[in-house]
Amino acid sequence: MALDQETFSQMKDAVARFVRERLVPAEDAVEQTNEVPEEIIQEMRELGLFGLSIPEDYGGLGLNMEQECGIIHELCQASLSFRSVIGTTVGIGSQGLVMTGTEEQKQRYLPRLATGEISSSFCLTEPDAGSDAASLRTTAIRDGDEYVINGTKRYITNALRAGMLTVMARTDPDNKGASGVSAFVVDPATPGITIANADDKMGQRGTKTSDVIFEDARVPANTLLGGVEGQGFYTAMKVLDRGRLHLSSVSTGISERILEEALSYAVERKQFGQAIGDFQLVQAMLADSQADLYAGKCMTQDAARRFDTGEQIPMLAACCKMFTTEAAGRIADKAVQIHGGAGYMSEYKVERFYRDVRLLRLYEGTTQIQQLVIGRNMLKSVNG
Ligand code: COS
């Protein structure tokens, strides 16, 4: 599935215009209020942004991965909280359903996700299961035509906005490993589910994460994703592989914006009687960032293309996620350095972006988890 090239180019131009004319001017208000304005969310719906990755048969745009990365790169040239509004619906919240859902499950949710009528969230992380995702403790025990879910999910992005949750829970409590986990597509309005207040965070103000608490929440048996028990962890891993490419384009998008801010400042700011950009030590910082950005864009595009041809990309996705998110950290750090004292002041955007990009190296698998995935895959290719 993919959009034809001409329609895709028009979409990309429309998103770039939206970023320039609507999102960038709204950045300060989002920072101050910790909310993305509803009228902007409505415009995102009208642009089709919620349905980027949902197949056309269910009302989405059906972009392939390379195209999705292209749009996300554009969108992320404004504060990352705007992308976060659509992020889970385009990515990890919906893709388990797209990949493995039954027809009835897809019909139930995908058309409404595609229009942005509802959003989705991905409920994997728990208080005691972060990097070690396979150790999750939430249980879903079969009882007649229902499953009874108990447990707590943590830092769940957009749970407060969600109309559908993809929930990983252990259906076989005697099996402590990956194969004891199943996935469910759950209505958050189900009695016994509580969405806690939003967490207070270092950055990305306007994004919403919260705990999701399940207390004897009874869900119909037909919410079991794909109708098969024991597949939930594998589905989550496949969803995360894809999500790591999406996040790589988030990282390159915001990196491009940060570098633009640094370059503009280097051209405008004068010291010792000339623009600081004329000094070679400042040029060195700009040059390192430019090379980081270019490398990250190329590798993300290459891995996304390979994904679209059906190639197995867990190792490449981990390489992209590790490199682009670490690069975003380096680029933001140099942008602050180029701004000097001004870079520490909230008045300048780079102070905010520096805090915002710190999250990239943590969520959807820390840098250390990406290293582990890369290393394991390298050894597997030798040892079999
Ligand atoms: N695709 C499909 N299956 C996969 C897979 C992938 N990318 N990666 C692992 N699996 C399978 C393995 O083949 C193995 O299958 P078997 O049960 O048949 O043996 C099973 O999953 C368990 O894999 P593994 O033994 O590698 O699991 P570990 O618990 O050692 O670790 C990591 C797996 C660390 C890679 C995983 O837990 C992980 O990605 N953690 C980070 C979680 C994360 O990103 N959290 C963010 C939350 S969402 S914001």
Side-chain angles (χ1 to χ4, degrees), residues 92 122 124-125 130-134 178-179 233-234 237-238 240-241 244 314 362-366 369-370 372-373 376 380:
I92 55 178
F122 181 73
L124 176 65
T125 299
S131 291
D132 184 9
S179 57
F233 185 78
Y234 310 111
M237 288 296 111
K238 285 187 215 137
L240 283 171
D241 287 337
R244 287 165 187 166
L362 303 172
Y363 63 177
E364 297 193 29
T366 60
I369 288 295
Q370 310 311 323
L372 200 108
V373 171
R376 282 185 183 182
K380 203 162 76 183

PDB file of all heavy atoms in Angstrom, residues 92 122 124-125 130-134 178-179 233-234 237-238 240-241 244 314 362-366 369-370 372-373 376 380, ligand 1:
ATOM      1  N   ILE A  92       2.311   2.895  17.189  1.00  0.00           N
ATOM      2  CA  ILE A  92       2.238   1.693  18.022  1.00  0.00           C
ATOM      3  C   ILE A  92       0.827   1.341  18.517  1.00  0.00           C
ATOM      4  O   ILE A  92       0.543   0.189  18.772  1.00  0.00           O
ATOM      5  CB  ILE A  92       3.218   1.788  19.216  1.00  0.00           C
ATOM      6  CG1 ILE A  92       2.992   3.058  20.037  1.00  0.00           C
ATOM      7  CG2 ILE A  92       4.663   1.717  18.728  1.00  0.00           C
ATOM      8  CD1 ILE A  92       3.910   3.185  21.262  1.00  0.00           C
ATOM      9  N   PHE A 122      -0.890   2.340  23.217  1.00  0.00           N
ATOM     10  CA  PHE A 122      -0.200   1.046  23.267  1.00  0.00           C
ATOM     11  C   PHE A 122       0.178   0.784  24.719  1.00  0.00           C
ATOM     12  O   PHE A 122       0.999   1.512  25.290  1.00  0.00           O
ATOM     13  CB  PHE A 122       1.048   1.176  22.390  1.00  0.00           C
ATOM     14  CG  PHE A 122       1.921  -0.038  22.257  1.00  0.00           C
ATOM     15  CD1 PHE A 122       1.514  -1.127  21.501  1.00  0.00           C
ATOM     16  CD2 PHE A 122       3.187  -0.065  22.816  1.00  0.00           C
ATOM     17  CE1 PHE A 122       2.351  -2.229  21.324  1.00  0.00           C
ATOM     18  CE2 PHE A 122       4.034  -1.157  22.650  1.00  0.00           C
ATOM     19  CZ  PHE A 122       3.610  -2.238  21.901  1.00  0.00           C
ATOM     20  N   LEU A 124       1.951  -1.425  27.032  1.00  0.00           N
ATOM     21  CA  LEU A 124       2.916  -2.504  27.268  1.00  0.00           C
ATOM     22  C   LEU A 124       3.632  -2.283  28.606  1.00  0.00           C
ATOM     23  O   LEU A 124       3.613  -3.135  29.491  1.00  0.00           O
ATOM     24  CB  LEU A 124       3.935  -2.545  26.111  1.00  0.00           C
ATOM     25  CG  LEU A 124       5.079  -3.552  26.222  1.00  0.00           C
ATOM     26  CD1 LEU A 124       4.553  -4.986  26.178  1.00  0.00           C
ATOM     27  CD2 LEU A 124       6.102  -3.346  25.088  1.00  0.00           C
ATOM     28  N   THR A 125       4.218  -1.094  28.760  1.00  0.00           N
ATOM     29  CA  THR A 125       5.051  -0.797  29.937  1.00  0.00           C
ATOM     30  C   THR A 125       4.252  -0.875  31.242  1.00  0.00           C
ATOM     31  O   THR A 125       3.081  -0.487  31.287  1.00  0.00           O
ATOM     32  CB  THR A 125       5.652   0.612  29.772  1.00  0.00           C
ATOM     33  OG1 THR A 125       6.447   0.605  28.594  1.00  0.00           O
ATOM     34  CG2 THR A 125       6.509   1.015  30.953  1.00  0.00           C
ATOM     35  N   GLY A 130       9.716  -2.508  32.092  1.00  0.00           N
ATOM     36  CA  GLY A 130      10.044  -1.449  31.127  1.00  0.00           C
ATOM     37  C   GLY A 130      10.852  -2.053  30.003  1.00  0.00           C
ATOM     38  O   GLY A 130      10.296  -2.648  29.076  1.00  0.00           O
ATOM     39  N   SER A 131      12.197  -1.975  30.130  1.00  0.00           N
ATOM     40  CA  SER A 131      13.065  -2.599  29.122  1.00  0.00           C
ATOM     41  C   SER A 131      12.808  -4.102  29.049  1.00  0.00           C
ATOM     42  O   SER A 131      12.830  -4.699  27.972  1.00  0.00           O
ATOM     43  CB  SER A 131      14.535  -2.347  29.476  1.00  0.00           C
ATOM     44  OG  SER A 131      14.847  -0.979  29.299  1.00  0.00           O
ATOM     45  N   ASP A 132      12.554  -4.705  30.220  1.00  0.00           N
ATOM     46  CA  ASP A 132      12.272  -6.152  30.252  1.00  0.00           C
ATOM     47  C   ASP A 132      10.777  -6.362  30.037  1.00  0.00           C
ATOM     48  O   ASP A 132      10.046  -6.777  30.939  1.00  0.00           O
ATOM     49  CB  ASP A 132      12.716  -6.718  31.613  1.00  0.00           C
ATOM     50  CG  ASP A 132      12.550  -8.223  31.699  1.00  0.00           C
ATOM     51  OD1 ASP A 132      12.247  -8.855  30.653  1.00  0.00           O
ATOM     52  OD2 ASP A 132      12.717  -8.773  32.800  1.00  0.00           O
ATOM     53  N   ALA A 133      10.354  -6.090  28.807  1.00  0.00           N
ATOM     54  CA  ALA A 133       8.917  -6.072  28.523  1.00  0.00           C
ATOM     55  C   ALA A 133       8.271  -7.446  28.702  1.00  0.00           C
ATOM     56  O   ALA A 133       7.102  -7.544  29.089  1.00  0.00           O
ATOM     57  CB  ALA A 133       8.692  -5.556  27.101  1.00  0.00           C
ATOM     58  N   ALA A 134       9.037  -8.508  28.461  1.00  0.00           N
ATOM     59  CA  ALA A 134       8.449  -9.857  28.533  1.00  0.00           C
ATOM     60  C   ALA A 134       8.084 -10.262  29.959  1.00  0.00           C
ATOM     61  O   ALA A 134       7.397 -11.258  30.160  1.00  0.00           O
ATOM     62  CB  ALA A 134       9.416 -10.875  27.934  1.00  0.00           C
ATOM     63  N   ALA A 178       7.656 -14.911  27.189  1.00  0.00           N
ATOM     64  CA  ALA A 178       7.019 -14.141  26.127  1.00  0.00           C
ATOM     65  C   ALA A 178       5.761 -14.839  25.589  1.00  0.00           C
ATOM     66  O   ALA A 178       4.766 -14.185  25.265  1.00  0.00           O
ATOM     67  CB  ALA A 178       8.022 -13.928  24.993  1.00  0.00           C
ATOM     68  N   SER A 179       5.793 -16.166  25.525  1.00  0.00           N
ATOM     69  CA  SER A 179       4.668 -16.868  24.894  1.00  0.00           C
ATOM     70  C   SER A 179       3.431 -16.960  25.793  1.00  0.00           C
ATOM     71  O   SER A 179       2.399 -17.479  25.366  1.00  0.00           O
ATOM     72  CB  SER A 179       5.099 -18.259  24.431  1.00  0.00           C
ATOM     73  OG  SER A 179       5.595 -18.971  25.545  1.00  0.00           O
ATOM     74  N   PHE A 233       3.244 -10.756  22.766  1.00  0.00           N
ATOM     75  CA  PHE A 233       4.598 -10.198  22.872  1.00  0.00           C
ATOM     76  C   PHE A 233       5.233 -10.088  21.486  1.00  0.00           C
ATOM     77  O   PHE A 233       5.879  -9.083  21.170  1.00  0.00           O
ATOM     78  CB  PHE A 233       5.470 -11.064  23.785  1.00  0.00           C
ATOM     79  CG  PHE A 233       6.832 -10.465  24.006  1.00  0.00           C
ATOM     80  CD1 PHE A 233       7.017  -9.418  24.901  1.00  0.00           C
ATOM     81  CD2 PHE A 233       7.947 -10.936  23.306  1.00  0.00           C
ATOM     82  CE1 PHE A 233       8.272  -8.848  25.104  1.00  0.00           C
ATOM     83  CE2 PHE A 233       9.208 -10.375  23.500  1.00  0.00           C
ATOM     84  CZ  PHE A 233       9.372  -9.335  24.401  1.00  0.00           C
ATOM     85  N   TYR A 234       5.004 -11.093  20.651  1.00  0.00           N
ATOM     86  CA  TYR A 234       5.609 -11.077  19.310  1.00  0.00           C
ATOM     87  C   TYR A 234       5.006  -9.929  18.491  1.00  0.00           C
ATOM     88  O   TYR A 234       5.711  -9.233  17.754  1.00  0.00           O
ATOM     89  CB  TYR A 234       5.411 -12.431  18.607  1.00  0.00           C
ATOM     90  CG  TYR A 234       5.829 -13.578  19.501  1.00  0.00           C
ATOM     91  CD1 TYR A 234       4.895 -14.465  20.017  1.00  0.00           C
ATOM     92  CD2 TYR A 234       7.157 -13.727  19.885  1.00  0.00           C
ATOM     93  CE1 TYR A 234       5.274 -15.486  20.876  1.00  0.00           C
ATOM     94  CE2 TYR A 234       7.551 -14.742  20.749  1.00  0.00           C
ATOM     95  CZ  TYR A 234       6.602 -15.614  21.244  1.00  0.00           C
ATOM     96  OH  TYR A 234       6.986 -16.600  22.105  1.00  0.00           O
ATOM     97  N   MET A 237       6.555  -6.727  19.629  1.00  0.00           N
ATOM     98  CA  MET A 237       7.915  -6.548  19.099  1.00  0.00           C
ATOM     99  C   MET A 237       7.883  -6.079  17.639  1.00  0.00           C
ATOM    100  O   MET A 237       8.649  -5.208  17.235  1.00  0.00           O
ATOM    101  CB  MET A 237       8.712  -7.862  19.196  1.00  0.00           C
ATOM    102  CG  MET A 237       9.109  -8.239  20.602  1.00  0.00           C
ATOM    103  SD  MET A 237      10.252  -7.055  21.361  1.00  0.00           S
ATOM    104  CE  MET A 237       9.225  -6.315  22.611  1.00  0.00           C
ATOM    105  N   LYS A 238       6.963  -6.651  16.863  1.00  0.00           N
ATOM    106  CA  LYS A 238       6.860  -6.239  15.447  1.00  0.00           C
ATOM    107  C   LYS A 238       6.377  -4.795  15.349  1.00  0.00           C
ATOM    108  O   LYS A 238       6.832  -4.017  14.518  1.00  0.00           O
ATOM    109  CB  LYS A 238       5.891  -7.168  14.700  1.00  0.00           C
ATOM    110  CG  LYS A 238       6.489  -8.521  14.402  1.00  0.00           C
ATOM    111  CD  LYS A 238       5.556  -9.324  13.509  1.00  0.00           C
ATOM    112  CE  LYS A 238       5.634 -10.797  13.870  1.00  0.00           C
ATOM    113  NZ  LYS A 238       4.368 -11.490  13.920  1.00  0.00           N
ATOM    114  N   LEU A 240       6.878  -2.540  17.579  1.00  0.00           N
ATOM    115  CA  LEU A 240       7.980  -1.662  18.013  1.00  0.00           C
ATOM    116  C   LEU A 240       9.057  -1.539  16.936  1.00  0.00           C
ATOM    117  O   LEU A 240       9.646  -0.474  16.768  1.00  0.00           O
ATOM    118  CB  LEU A 240       8.581  -2.167  19.323  1.00  0.00           C
ATOM    119  CG  LEU A 240       7.751  -1.846  20.573  1.00  0.00           C
ATOM    120  CD1 LEU A 240       8.306  -2.572  21.793  1.00  0.00           C
ATOM    121  CD2 LEU A 240       7.705  -0.339  20.851  1.00  0.00           C
ATOM    122  N   ASP A 241       9.304  -2.602  16.186  1.00  0.00           N
ATOM    123  CA  ASP A 241      10.282  -2.500  15.082  1.00  0.00           C
ATOM    124  C   ASP A 241       9.858  -1.384  14.127  1.00  0.00           C
ATOM    125  O   ASP A 241      10.649  -0.533  13.735  1.00  0.00           O
ATOM    126  CB  ASP A 241      10.347  -3.812  14.282  1.00  0.00           C
ATOM    127  CG  ASP A 241      11.058  -4.911  15.056  1.00  0.00           C
ATOM    128  OD1 ASP A 241      11.850  -4.586  15.956  1.00  0.00           O
ATOM    129  OD2 ASP A 241      10.804  -6.099  14.753  1.00  0.00           O
ATOM    130  N   ARG A 244      10.033   2.073  15.652  1.00  0.00           N
ATOM    131  CA  ARG A 244      11.386   2.638  15.774  1.00  0.00           C
ATOM    132  C   ARG A 244      11.784   3.380  14.498  1.00  0.00           C
ATOM    133  O   ARG A 244      12.564   4.334  14.551  1.00  0.00           O
ATOM    134  CB  ARG A 244      12.378   1.528  16.157  1.00  0.00           C
ATOM    135  CG  ARG A 244      12.177   1.133  17.612  1.00  0.00           C
ATOM    136  CD  ARG A 244      12.828  -0.160  18.039  1.00  0.00           C
ATOM    137  NE  ARG A 244      12.405  -0.478  19.419  1.00  0.00           N
ATOM    138  CZ  ARG A 244      12.565  -1.630  20.006  1.00  0.00           C
ATOM    139  NH1 ARG A 244      13.139  -2.645  19.374  1.00  0.00           N
ATOM    140  NH2 ARG A 244      12.145  -1.818  21.255  1.00  0.00           N
ATOM    141  N   PRO A 314      14.385  -5.739  12.043  1.00  0.00           N
ATOM    142  CA  PRO A 314      14.581  -5.402  13.465  1.00  0.00           C
ATOM    143  C   PRO A 314      15.947  -4.780  13.754  1.00  0.00           C
ATOM    144  O   PRO A 314      16.046  -3.799  14.491  1.00  0.00           O
ATOM    145  CB  PRO A 314      14.421  -6.744  14.183  1.00  0.00           C
ATOM    146  CG  PRO A 314      13.556  -7.542  13.302  1.00  0.00           C
ATOM    147  CD  PRO A 314      13.873  -7.117  11.892  1.00  0.00           C
ATOM    148  N   LEU A 362      14.879   7.414  25.136  1.00  0.00           N
ATOM    149  CA  LEU A 362      14.339   6.569  26.208  1.00  0.00           C
ATOM    150  C   LEU A 362      13.172   5.705  25.746  1.00  0.00           C
ATOM    151  O   LEU A 362      13.144   4.504  26.011  1.00  0.00           O
ATOM    152  CB  LEU A 362      13.871   7.453  27.373  1.00  0.00           C
ATOM    153  CG  LEU A 362      14.938   8.386  27.964  1.00  0.00           C
ATOM    154  CD1 LEU A 362      14.305   9.331  28.975  1.00  0.00           C
ATOM    155  CD2 LEU A 362      16.041   7.581  28.622  1.00  0.00           C
ATOM    156  N   TYR A 363      12.192   6.346  25.088  1.00  0.00           N
ATOM    157  CA  TYR A 363      10.964   5.566  24.842  1.00  0.00           C
ATOM    158  C   TYR A 363      11.067   4.700  23.589  1.00  0.00           C
ATOM    159  O   TYR A 363      11.946   4.851  22.780  1.00  0.00           O
ATOM    160  CB  TYR A 363       9.703   6.423  24.873  1.00  0.00           C
ATOM    161  CG  TYR A 363       9.519   7.522  23.840  1.00  0.00           C
ATOM    162  CD1 TYR A 363       8.323   8.256  23.835  1.00  0.00           C
ATOM    163  CD2 TYR A 363      10.469   7.835  22.891  1.00  0.00           C
ATOM    164  CE1 TYR A 363       8.093   9.264  22.920  1.00  0.00           C
ATOM    165  CE2 TYR A 363      10.241   8.846  21.967  1.00  0.00           C
ATOM    166  CZ  TYR A 363       9.056   9.549  21.992  1.00  0.00           C
ATOM    167  OH  TYR A 363       8.838  10.535  21.087  1.00  0.00           O
ATOM    168  N   GLU A 364      10.148   3.731  23.524  1.00  0.00           N
ATOM    169  CA  GLU A 364      10.146   2.697  22.475  1.00  0.00           C
ATOM    170  C   GLU A 364      11.498   1.984  22.408  1.00  0.00           C
ATOM    171  O   GLU A 364      11.984   1.639  21.329  1.00  0.00           O
ATOM    172  CB  GLU A 364       9.688   3.271  21.126  1.00  0.00           C
ATOM    173  CG  GLU A 364       8.253   3.766  21.234  1.00  0.00           C
ATOM    174  CD  GLU A 364       7.578   4.071  19.917  1.00  0.00           C
ATOM    175  OE1 GLU A 364       7.929   3.448  18.913  1.00  0.00           O
ATOM    176  OE2 GLU A 364       6.681   4.935  19.920  1.00  0.00           O
ATOM    177  N   GLY A 365      12.092   1.801  23.578  1.00  0.00           N
ATOM    178  CA  GLY A 365      13.372   1.110  23.674  1.00  0.00           C
ATOM    179  C   GLY A 365      14.519   2.085  23.839  1.00  0.00           C
ATOM    180  O   GLY A 365      14.791   2.881  22.940  1.00  0.00           O
ATOM    181  N   THR A 366      15.189   2.019  24.984  1.00  0.00           N
ATOM    182  CA  THR A 366      16.331   2.910  25.236  1.00  0.00           C
ATOM    183  C   THR A 366      17.453   2.615  24.232  1.00  0.00           C
ATOM    184  O   THR A 366      17.449   1.567  23.567  1.00  0.00           O
ATOM    185  CB  THR A 366      16.896   2.659  26.653  1.00  0.00           C
ATOM    186  OG1 THR A 366      17.317   1.278  26.710  1.00  0.00           O
ATOM    187  CG2 THR A 366      15.882   2.925  27.737  1.00  0.00           C
ATOM    188  N   ILE A 369      18.809  -0.747  24.831  1.00  0.00           N
ATOM    189  CA  ILE A 369      18.015  -1.857  24.263  1.00  0.00           C
ATOM    190  C   ILE A 369      18.287  -1.967  22.753  1.00  0.00           C
ATOM    191  O   ILE A 369      18.399  -3.072  22.211  1.00  0.00           O
ATOM    192  CB  ILE A 369      16.502  -1.654  24.562  1.00  0.00           C
ATOM    193  CG1 ILE A 369      16.220  -1.900  26.048  1.00  0.00           C
ATOM    194  CG2 ILE A 369      15.628  -2.555  23.689  1.00  0.00           C
ATOM    195  CD1 ILE A 369      16.462  -3.328  26.530  1.00  0.00           C
ATOM    196  N   GLN A 370      18.440  -0.832  22.091  1.00  0.00           N
ATOM    197  CA  GLN A 370      18.746  -0.898  20.633  1.00  0.00           C
ATOM    198  C   GLN A 370      20.101  -1.578  20.429  1.00  0.00           C
ATOM    199  O   GLN A 370      20.266  -2.392  19.510  1.00  0.00           O
ATOM    200  CB  GLN A 370      18.765   0.500  19.993  1.00  0.00           C
ATOM    201  CG  GLN A 370      17.563   1.398  20.274  1.00  0.00           C
ATOM    202  CD  GLN A 370      16.227   0.738  20.052  1.00  0.00           C
ATOM    203  OE1 GLN A 370      16.059  -0.063  19.132  1.00  0.00           O
ATOM    204  NE2 GLN A 370      15.254   1.053  20.893  1.00  0.00           N
ATOM    205  N   LEU A 372      21.448  -3.775  22.316  1.00  0.00           N
ATOM    206  CA  LEU A 372      21.234  -5.203  22.579  1.00  0.00           C
ATOM    207  C   LEU A 372      20.618  -5.894  21.360  1.00  0.00           C
ATOM    208  O   LEU A 372      21.046  -6.976  20.960  1.00  0.00           O
ATOM    209  CB  LEU A 372      20.266  -5.275  23.758  1.00  0.00           C
ATOM    210  CG  LEU A 372      20.189  -6.520  24.555  1.00  0.00           C
ATOM    211  CD1 LEU A 372      20.850  -6.243  25.899  1.00  0.00           C
ATOM    212  CD2 LEU A 372      18.740  -6.880  24.806  1.00  0.00           C
ATOM    213  N   VAL A 373      19.611  -5.248  20.774  1.00  0.00           N
ATOM    214  CA  VAL A 373      18.945  -5.844  19.604  1.00  0.00           C
ATOM    215  C   VAL A 373      19.936  -5.953  18.446  1.00  0.00           C
ATOM    216  O   VAL A 373      20.005  -6.993  17.769  1.00  0.00           O
ATOM    217  CB  VAL A 373      17.710  -4.994  19.197  1.00  0.00           C
ATOM    218  CG1 VAL A 373      17.134  -5.466  17.863  1.00  0.00           C
ATOM    219  CG2 VAL A 373      16.638  -5.036  20.286  1.00  0.00           C
ATOM    220  N   ARG A 376      22.603  -8.740  19.340  1.00  0.00           N
ATOM    221  CA  ARG A 376      22.031 -10.096  19.267  1.00  0.00           C
ATOM    222  C   ARG A 376      21.824 -10.532  17.829  1.00  0.00           C
ATOM    223  O   ARG A 376      22.077 -11.673  17.468  1.00  0.00           O
ATOM    224  CB  ARG A 376      20.671 -10.125  19.973  1.00  0.00           C
ATOM    225  CG  ARG A 376      20.768 -10.175  21.467  1.00  0.00           C
ATOM    226  CD  ARG A 376      19.357 -10.314  22.005  1.00  0.00           C
ATOM    227  NE  ARG A 376      19.351 -10.313  23.456  1.00  0.00           N
ATOM    228  CZ  ARG A 376      18.254 -10.459  24.175  1.00  0.00           C
ATOM    229  NH1 ARG A 376      17.092 -10.626  23.595  1.00  0.00           N
ATOM    230  NH2 ARG A 376      18.307 -10.449  25.488  1.00  0.00           N
ATOM    231  N   LYS A 380      23.437 -13.622  15.897  1.00  0.00           N
ATOM    232  CA  LYS A 380      22.544 -14.634  15.317  1.00  0.00           C
ATOM    233  C   LYS A 380      22.928 -14.924  13.869  1.00  0.00           C
ATOM    234  O   LYS A 380      22.849 -16.051  13.398  1.00  0.00           O
ATOM    235  CB  LYS A 380      21.085 -14.130  15.409  1.00  0.00           C
ATOM    236  CG  LYS A 380      20.075 -15.252  15.374  1.00  0.00           C
ATOM    237  CD  LYS A 380      18.723 -14.814  15.901  1.00  0.00           C
ATOM    238  CE  LYS A 380      17.983 -13.972  14.876  1.00  0.00           C
ATOM    239  NZ  LYS A 380      16.715 -13.460  15.349  1.00  0.00           N
TER     240      LYS A 380
HETATM  241  N1  COS B   1       9.923  -9.590  16.155  1.00  0.00           N
HETATM  242  C1  COS B   1       9.286 -10.755  16.426  1.00  0.00           C
HETATM  243  N2  COS B   1       9.600 -11.547  17.472  1.00  0.00           N
HETATM  244  C2  COS B   1      10.600 -11.136  18.277  1.00  0.00           C
HETATM  245  C3  COS B   1      11.305  -9.934  18.052  1.00  0.00           C
HETATM  246  C4  COS B   1      10.925  -9.149  16.938  1.00  0.00           C
HETATM  247  N3  COS B   1      11.557  -8.014  16.661  1.00  0.00           N
HETATM  248  N4  COS B   1      12.232  -9.771  19.017  1.00  0.00           N
HETATM  249  C5  COS B   1      12.130 -10.849  19.812  1.00  0.00           C
HETATM  250  N5  COS B   1      11.144 -11.668  19.350  1.00  0.00           N
HETATM  251  C6  COS B   1      10.762 -12.952  19.919  1.00  0.00           C
HETATM  252  C7  COS B   1      11.973 -13.881  20.057  1.00  0.00           C
HETATM  253  O1  COS B   1      12.186 -14.596  18.862  1.00  0.00           O
HETATM  254  C8  COS B   1      11.571 -14.796  21.197  1.00  0.00           C
HETATM  255  O2  COS B   1      10.720 -15.788  20.684  1.00  0.00           O
HETATM  256  P1  COS B   1      10.534 -17.228  21.425  1.00  0.00           P
HETATM  257  O3  COS B   1       9.572 -16.995  22.538  1.00  0.00           O
HETATM  258  O4  COS B   1       9.939 -18.085  20.368  1.00  0.00           O
HETATM  259  O5  COS B   1      11.879 -17.661  21.882  1.00  0.00           O
HETATM  260  C9  COS B   1      10.709 -13.868  22.080  1.00  0.00           C
HETATM  261  O6  COS B   1      10.285 -12.772  21.242  1.00  0.00           O
HETATM  262  C10 COS B   1      11.489 -13.312  23.239  1.00  0.00           C
HETATM  263  O7  COS B   1      12.618 -12.673  22.683  1.00  0.00           O
HETATM  264  P2  COS B   1      13.939 -12.453  23.520  1.00  0.00           P
HETATM  265  O8  COS B   1      14.358 -13.754  24.116  1.00  0.00           O
HETATM  266  O9  COS B   1      14.892 -11.707  22.661  1.00  0.00           O
HETATM  267  O10 COS B   1      13.346 -11.521  24.674  1.00  0.00           O
HETATM  268  P3  COS B   1      14.064 -10.769  25.821  1.00  0.00           P
HETATM  269  O11 COS B   1      13.093 -10.729  26.931  1.00  0.00           O
HETATM  270  O12 COS B   1      15.429 -11.280  26.088  1.00  0.00           O
HETATM  271  O13 COS B   1      14.289  -9.263  25.275  1.00  0.00           O
HETATM  272  C11 COS B   1      13.906  -7.197  24.162  1.00  0.00           C
HETATM  273  C12 COS B   1      13.666  -8.690  24.230  1.00  0.00           C
HETATM  274  C13 COS B   1      14.862  -6.677  25.210  1.00  0.00           C
HETATM  275  C14 COS B   1      14.442  -6.883  22.784  1.00  0.00           C
HETATM  276  C15 COS B   1      12.509  -6.587  24.356  1.00  0.00           C
HETATM  277  O14 COS B   1      12.037  -6.882  25.652  1.00  0.00           O
HETATM  278  C16 COS B   1      12.451  -5.110  24.109  1.00  0.00           C
HETATM  279  O15 COS B   1      12.373  -4.675  22.964  1.00  0.00           O
HETATM  280  N6  COS B   1      12.434  -4.333  25.208  1.00  0.00           N
HETATM  281  C17 COS B   1      12.214  -2.935  25.110  1.00  0.00           C
HETATM  282  C18 COS B   1      10.749  -2.702  25.224  1.00  0.00           C
HETATM  283  C19 COS B   1      10.381  -1.358  24.756  1.00  0.00           C
HETATM  284  O16 COS B   1      10.742  -0.901  23.686  1.00  0.00           O
HETATM  285  N7  COS B   1       9.575  -0.711  25.581  1.00  0.00           N
HETATM  286  C20 COS B   1       9.041   0.524  25.242  1.00  0.00           C
HETATM  287  C21 COS B   1       7.602   0.416  25.531  1.00  0.00           C
HETATM  288  S1  COS B   1       6.585   1.080  24.370  1.00  0.00           S
HETATM  289  S2  COS B   1       6.870   2.998  24.449  1.00  0.00           S
END
